[in-house]
Amino acid sequence: MQLVHENRPIATTVEFADTLLTQTRGLMFRRSVPDDYALVFRFDEAERRSLHMLFVSFPIDALWVVDGEVTKHARLSEWTGLGWGTADTIVELPAGAADGVDTGDSVELVE
């Protein structure tokens, strides 16, 4: 599975946070993630959703996505970052991985 933006993979190692436990934990307590990594949170419907960086010791890029379209892109700082956006999917990536991805762009998960 890959996360693709404009026919360019931005993550080739994709993990899904599909359970309450994995969604609650997110990237907390990890020391780092690989450069080609994405953690994807999928939800049944688009709603205003938040991300926090408590117990995350490295910065990330976060994408809030509705029906494949990016509604917000933010860089969240380690430990203190907080972000809100409307999404049916949220993607967490290493800082810099989503450079060039803008609001209104399309991203998709492909095999």
Side-chain angles (χ1 to χ4, degrees):
M1 180 78 52
Q2 296 183 40
L3 181 69
V4 176
H5 169 252
E6 296 182 351
N7 297 320
R8 176 183 65 92
I10 57 174
T12 55
T13 303
V14 177
E15 183 179 350
F16 294 93
D18 285 340
T19 67
L20 180 60
L21 178 61
T22 58
Q23 288 176 354
T24 301
R25 187 179 62 223
L27 295 175
M28 292 191 312
F29 310 112
R30 298 186 196 194
R31 292 179 184 246
S32 65
V33 292
D35 290 341
D36 67 339
Y37 178 85
L39 181 60
V40 177
F41 300 75
R42 296 182 289 193
F43 304 98
D44 292 332
E45 58 188 55
E47 292 182 11
R48 187 160 160 79
R49 303 186 186 278
S50 66
L51 290 177
H52 69 81
M53 295 295 287
L54 188 62
F55 298 110
V56 180
S57 61
F58 50 91
I60 66 167
D61 283 353
L63 302 175
W64 286 260
V65 180
V66 175
D67 295 330
E69 182 179 318
V70 176
T71 59
K72 182 177 180 178
H73 170 202
R75 172 98 19 104
L76 301 179
S77 60
E78 63 275 11
W79 295 101
T80 60
L82 180 64
W84 289 87
T86 300
D88 60 18
T89 303
I90 295 175
V91 182
E92 296 181 344
L93 302 148
D99 286 352
V101 178
D102 296 313
T103 300
D105 286 356
S106 293
V107 293
E108 64 179 324
L109 292 164
V110 296
E111 292 291 331

